[in-house]
Amino acid sequence: MVEGQSQNTSSGQALLYLTDEQLRQGIEAMFFAYRGFTADPDRILEGMSYGRAHHRAIHFIHCAPGTTVNNLLAILGVTKQSLNRVLRTLIEDGLVTSHVGRSDKRERHLTLTEAGEALEQQLSDAQRARMRDAYRKAGPDAVAGFKTVLEAMMDDDMKRAYLALREGR
Amino acid sequence: MVEGQSQNTSSGQALLYLTDEQLRQGIEAMFFAYRGFTADPDRILEGMSYGRAHHRAIHFIHCAPGTTVNNLLAILGVTKQSLNRVLRTLIEDGLVTSHVGRSDKRERHLTLTEAGEALEQQLSDAQRARMRDAYRKAGPDAVAGFKTVLEAMMDDDMKRAYLALREGR
DNA sequence: AAAATACGTCAGTCTTGTTGACATTCCAAG
DNA sequence: CTTGGAATGTCAACAAGACTGACGTATTTT
């Protein structure tokens, strides 16, 4: 609560970007930007009985083909029951295949089918198009700063998951 | 779909930050960061029968005291039925007051009570603490870039709402 | 007087999160 | 080798929070 006065306790200069007002602006920017961020895939998905949860599953299965349910669970941060409902419909609809693990038969390895990859492409294209526009408008330096701040905002285990994904590619 | 090859069609240099892989990283960073962004308030709210929806309402009523229901609706981007459920509980619990408009008696002007302000402080402190840490780690230049990209990601009407809030302060 | 606006509410649906109970599989200790 | 515990995944039921549609009321505008 005392820290709320960071604009006063600072050594007078160069820390103005840590003002409560500046932080509040950042919070609101995050809120509005996230809406834009999800808007395009949401629009595509609506009416095809899928939602944002399906999109997330598809995205990460695409990035890590053959991943297990448990793996996906850790990345998505939901309960396995919640994920299972989503996976079940995706499997029923032929967008995802589930193979029993070779070494450990408890595991199910998940992969996108051709139809699944096609939908992934469609969603991904829409989302990347928005990102690309934003990046282009903002320029490379802004983008670097953008990523730096986002990484600093993550919880430690999320950051680990985030970095692990990059190494896998 | 053809645009997916931006790394090849580019003039060879300086546009590497527009690569599909870079965009994908940005998308994932956004996903993981948003989870961190909401984690602290969510933790505070859980167990007190409120959720993220209540937080959002409280946040924007705090920022624009005396705002109307319609106004809030436009900012939050939800239906009035959805917002009403949230507002009803907040009013019942004495965190928000609703006053009939002076000039236009159809309007209800919303304000936080002392208890409401107290909760807002608590939530806001937690969320700002995370932002402050992230900002400090990243530095002022990164923060500037962060905001630039977020603004570029917003839909036009969200951007208008976002900027309007800043002018009101 | 009629139409439009602002707000509240009731009823019903959908997505997506939750917990609890249960089956299968693996592994390690007795 | 067997048995018990841990890990993986599935099914069922429920809750929060979004949505639509329909309706009522007060007020303002035309």
Side-chain angles (χ1 to χ4, degrees):
Chain A
M1 323 272 170
V2 182
E3 57 190 335
Q5 309 304 327
S6 45
Q7 64 271 44
N8 301 326
T9 61
S10 85
S11 31
Q13 193 222 15
L15 288 176
L16 289 179
Y17 75 109
L18 293 177
T19 297
D20 279 2
E21 171 57 23
Q22 290 295 310
L23 295 169
R24 206 170 262 283
Q25 271 183 34
I27 288 169
E28 286 163 8
M30 201 60 192
F31 170 72
F32 290 115
Y34 196 78
R35 286 247 299 272
F37 172 70
T38 55
D40 302 318
D42 282 357
R43 245 188 305 275
I44 294 174
L45 257 2
E46 101 176 351
M48 55 190 302
S49 79
Y50 291 149
R52 211 173 288 178
H54 300 83
H55 179 197
R56 290 196 284 253
I58 289 174
H59 175 99
F60 288 110
I61 294 175
H62 168 87
C63 287
T67 189
T68 66
V69 174
N70 235 4
N71 235 304
L72 212 48
L73 240 41
I75 292 174
L76 294 176
V78 297
T79 59
K80 58 184 178 175
Q81 295 90 331
S82 195
L83 175 59
N84 192 255
R85 187 178 343 100
V86 168
L87 284 179
R88 189 165 44 208
T89 68
L90 290 175
I91 292 170
E92 277 171 8
D93 296 352
L95 300 182
V96 169
T97 56
S98 165
H99 290 297
V100 172
R102 246 176 41 103
S103 57
D104 189 335
K105 289 176 191 162
R106 291 172 303 182
E107 296 179 338
R108 301 297 135 90
H109 296 275
L110 305 168
T111 323
L112 292 184
T113 63
E114 256 185 63
E117 288 290 351
L119 179 56
E120 199 283 333
Q121 265 294 339
Q122 195 188 347
L123 296 169
S124 189
D125 280 344
Q127 199 161 36
R128 277 201 308 264
R130 181 184 291 256
M131 286 299 263
R132 185 168 7 246
D133 283 357
Y135 275 23
R136 210 181 332 244
K137 273 187 217 161
D141 294 343
V143 169
F146 167 71
K147 286 194 188 170
T148 304
V149 175
L150 287 188
E151 281 184 38
M153 282 175 61
M154 296 179 197
D155 274 344
D156 286 344
D157 41 344
M158 298 184 203
K159 188 163 176 182
R160 235 175 295 124
Y162 169 71
L163 296 175
L165 279 172
R166 296 167 55 163
E167 284 165 19
R169 301 199 275 253
Chain B
M1 325 273 168
V2 182
E3 58 190 333
Q5 309 305 325
S6 45
Q7 64 271 44
N8 300 326
T9 60
S10 86
S11 29
Q13 194 222 15
L15 289 177
L16 289 179
Y17 74 109
L18 295 176
T19 297
D20 278 3
E21 170 58 21
Q22 289 295 310
L23 295 169
R24 205 170 262 282
Q25 271 183 33
I27 288 169
E28 286 163 7
M30 202 59 193
F31 170 72
F32 289 116
Y34 195 77
R35 286 247 300 274
F37 172 70
T38 56
D40 303 318
D42 282 358
R43 243 188 306 274
I44 294 174
L45 256 3
E46 102 177 349
M48 57 189 300
S49 80
Y50 292 149
R52 210 174 288 179
H54 300 82
H55 180 197
R56 289 196 285 255
I58 287 174
H59 176 101
F60 287 109
I61 294 175
H62 168 87
C63 286
T67 189
T68 65
V69 174
N70 240 0
N71 235 305
L72 211 48
L73 241 41
I75 290 175
L76 296 176
V78 296
T79 59
K80 63 176 178 177
Q81 294 91 330
S82 201
L83 176 57
N84 193 254
R85 187 178 347 102
V86 168
L87 282 181
R88 191 165 40 208
T89 68
L90 290 176
I91 292 171
E92 278 171 8
D93 296 351
L95 301 182
V96 168
T97 56
S98 165
H99 290 297
V100 173
R102 247 173 43 102
S103 58
D104 188 334
K105 290 176 191 161
R106 293 172 304 180
E107 295 178 338
R108 300 297 136 88
H109 295 276
L110 304 169
T111 322
L112 291 184
T113 64
E114 255 185 63
E117 289 289 352
L119 179 55
E120 198 282 333
Q121 266 292 339
Q122 196 187 347
L123 296 170
S124 187
D125 280 344
Q127 199 161 36
R128 277 200 309 264
R130 182 184 291 257
M131 287 299 263
R132 185 170 4 246
D133 284 356
Y135 274 23
R136 211 184 327 246
K137 273 187 216 162
D141 294 344
V143 169
F146 167 71
K147 286 195 189 170
T148 305
V149 175
L150 287 189
E151 280 185 38
M153 282 175 59
M154 296 178 197
D155 274 344
D156 286 345
D157 40 345
M158 298 183 203
K159 188 163 178 182
R160 233 176 296 124
Y162 170 71
L163 295 175
L165 279 173
R166 296 166 56 161
E167 283 165 18
R169 301 200 275 254

